[in-house]
Amino acid sequence: MKKVFIIGVVILLAFGVAYAAQDVKNTKHNLSTSTSTATRTFYLTAGTDEVCVFCHTPHFSTTTPAGMPLWNRTSSTATYTMYNSSVSATMDMTVAGTPQGVSAACLSCHDGTVAFDSLVNKPGSGIGAPSGWTWSGGLTNITTSTNAYIGADLSNDHPISITYSTTADPQFNAITDTTKGRITVGTSYVQFYGSGKDQVECGSCHDPHEKDVATFLRVANTGSQLCLGCHIK
């Protein structure tokens, strides 16, 4: 019995270590009145104390972009310039013509064209999108003056919506967990998406719920360990 108890404690501790950084309430992605970062003076609304509503809704969610769980945001209609072979002569993997899945979801805020409260369902009743919410600083969407702004020109950013293939380019490490689509990096991993678990998206390197690592990285890039998880250099 004692042995079982000890094993149980070890398992709980292991899960605690794995998920300790999952604390979106205490990140910049909490735009509500429940935020604990008192020094923030922008991108905050008094319209709700709900944290998750800015991205998710429990009922009647939108089905675009594909693969996003219970997604609650209006999709961007921006025309994007992708980082592809027209930008880099060394590009030898296939890049989609427009951001896919989780990348499209991220850009529904970070391209700066969609308001923070451009939601499918508002909090509470969940019927209809919110209206009349005010934002500190008078800002309603991400502006060009902040680091959070990505814009629609993605040709100067790491390629996204690209099919990861060591056959196309052997100067990359193989996906170590093909079932989940992951490459282990330190105490975390790089995550791949799509039906084939082989698509590089924004979420491959960033976790929007991450609290402890700067810029929402899945693992700190100390010594370029995150980069070297994929790239053989």
Side-chain angles (χ1 to χ4, degrees), residues 100-148:
Q100 304 294 304
V102 65
S103 294
C106 296
L107 287 165
S108 68
C109 253
H110 288 276
D111 73 4
T113 67
V114 183
F116 297 128
D117 58 0
S118 185
L119 308 177
V120 176
N121 291 315
K122 61 186 177 184
S125 67
I127 300 173
S131 61
W133 283 1
T134 57
W135 299 81
S136 54
L139 301 175
T140 59
N141 57 284
I142 290 176
T143 66
T144 59
S145 62
T146 67
N147 291 335

Side-chain angles (χ1 to χ4, degrees), residues 108-201:
S108 68
C109 253
H110 288 276
D111 73 4
T113 67
V114 183
F116 297 128
D117 58 0
S118 185
L119 308 177
V120 176
N121 291 315
K122 61 186 177 184
S125 67
I127 300 173
S131 61
W133 283 1
T134 57
W135 299 81
S136 54
L139 301 175
T140 59
N141 57 284
I142 290 176
T143 66
T144 59
S145 62
T146 67
N147 291 335
Y149 177 79
I150 300 296
D153 183 358
L154 309 180
S155 63
N156 58 353
D157 301 290
H158 188 287
I160 57 169
S161 301
I162 179 172
T163 303
Y164 190 86
S165 170
T166 55
T167 301
D169 193 334
Q171 292 301 306
F172 286 81
N173 293 310
I175 296 175
T176 51
D177 185 339
T178 55
T179 300
K180 294 182 178 179
R182 294 175 177 176
I183 294 177
T184 300
V185 180
T187 58
S188 188
Y189 50 84
V190 174
Q191 179 68 59
F192 298 91
Y193 293 86
S195 59
K197 301 295 184 183
D198 58 358
Q199 300 296 303
V200 178
E201 304 292 357

Side-chain angles (χ1 to χ4, degrees), residues 27-52:
T27 73
K28 291 182 179 179
H29 282 155
N30 181 2
L31 308 182
S32 76
T33 57
S34 63
T35 183
S36 63
T37 48
T39 57
R40 288 171 56 201
T41 58
F42 56 95
Y43 301 164
L44 298 175
T45 182
T48 181
D49 64 357
E50 291 192 20
V51 181
C52 303

